[in-house]
Amino acid sequence: MSVLLLSTYDLGRQPFGLASPAAWLKRAGFDVLTRDLSRDKLQDDDVRGAALVAFYLPMHTATRLALPVIDRVRQINPTARLAAYGLYAPLSEGLLRARGVTEVLGPEAEAALAELALILRRDTAPAAHRPSSVEGGFAAGPASTQLPRLTFLVPDRSGLPHVGRYASLQMPDGSHRVVGATDATRGCKHRCRHCPIVPIYDGHFRVVSSDVVLADIEQQAAAGAEHITFGDPDFFNGPAHARRIVEALHARHPSLTYDVTVKIEHLLKHDGLLPVLARTGCLFVTSAVESLDDEVLGKLQKGHTRADFLEALRLCRAAGVSLVPTFVAFTPWTTLDSYRDLLAAVHALDLVEHVSPVQWGLRLLITEGSRLLELEDIRRRVESFDSQTLTYPWRHEDPRVDALQAGIVRAVGVKLTRSRGEVFAAACELAGLNRAQFAQGAVRDRATIPYLNEPWYC
């Protein structure tokens, strides 16, 4: 029996979410095809031969891109059982079932997918079979107690496009490095109000054993990876685990570099690990700062303040690690003055080259199950759920803020080859700041820190 695993988008990375269940399914004796549609076209023959087609939905963009593919798969192979798994599958359960998906799993789906395939092979499953009755399954909703605890296998990446076809690392000297990716943990023990991880994991996370992580990196390095992106929502959720992995990685591959994502709160709490990161080849740490406005940070329940961010930046610089902040620049609480303040602060802190241009126009997404809907002022602002965008649309009380955001998005998208400094200067001009003042020292022909050349985050 053949199983087809499909990914539509995973941040320009070779999808861990295809490689991991592929290992489980192959161990159970199934023929497995993995197709990353961000790199290759879906072939009709792949679909016709599959008894089970499973869609990996790790994020908002991936889910939107998957919807027309689901329709196409149903048309090509009406008898195939359709499943969806990943973070956004349970968040989109109603929409997926309306499209013909009968099995909706969460992000810890490897065992459930293998069990579902075994049931199909035995041909004993009733038409209305729900995988939540299968060992390792997941019922949609914020019930983290139902998340299975899996003993992970080394991901099987043999059927995926070569690692060199994915996003690369742009170095300050103009060269590029081949980038691999893996997960050392999944989920997060924090409950930031806007985060899509929270409705599923609800403050829990799962550890992938060090042996599995290192073996996964080993196979990617053998395929040519020169840099590893750790996809953990927070690499310091398990600080001792993180340290073991990076020290072992550096001992085995001294020339291999990497990057991680860590909360500001954890950079402060575990600042003793920052020199370890620098010593073992960490080129930069990404942190979801989101805002420099303490009121907005409080609404989002980020667990840090503006002053905390400034201290974390100081600690990273002292340790020799570049901090790459990401922002949700436009929220219902953003004002023209606070947006200008964000730009001015980034310039004053010499962080222009650290911020991807797409950040300047990002707008807060309010998705199904979001804790933002706990807030009365959010419930008052949002419109009905939009099944096309998979969000609750909202408008700012000040139409000038929405107009600015639309202008920034246009400026970012006009010419993708523009330097970060050029886009920043354009944002300053649109926001009503002195372009000449804020462009000074910001416009450079070449980036001064390494960055991944596919910088999307949702």
Side-chain angles (χ1 to χ4, degrees), residues 15 21-22 37 58-59 85 113 150 157 162 167 196 210 227 247 284 294 298 329 343 345 364 407:
L37 304 187
M59 63 189 68
Y85 65 101
L113 282 171
L150 305 178
R157 298 179 179 271
H162 187 268
S210 300
H227 178 90
E247 289 186 333
F284 57 92
D294 284 341
L343 295 172
L364 183 68

Side-chain angles (χ1 to χ4, degrees), residues 257-293:
T257 57
Y258 65 91
D259 68 272
V260 299
T261 297
V262 182
K263 277 176 62 71
I264 293 297
E265 184 179 350
H266 280 173
L267 292 174
L268 299 177
K269 184 177 181 180
H270 305 297
D271 61 305
L273 288 179
L274 297 179
V276 176
L277 296 183
R279 174 173 54 80
T280 55
C282 181
L283 293 185
F284 57 92
V285 175
T286 301
S287 192
V289 178
E290 313 300 35
S291 176
L292 298 185
D293 184 324

Side-chain angles (χ1 to χ4, degrees), residues 1 23-32 118 121:
M1 190 183 96
W24 287 70
L25 288 159
K26 288 184 179 182
R27 185 180 67 169
F30 294 98
D31 296 326
V32 181
L118 288 169
R121 186 163 64 186

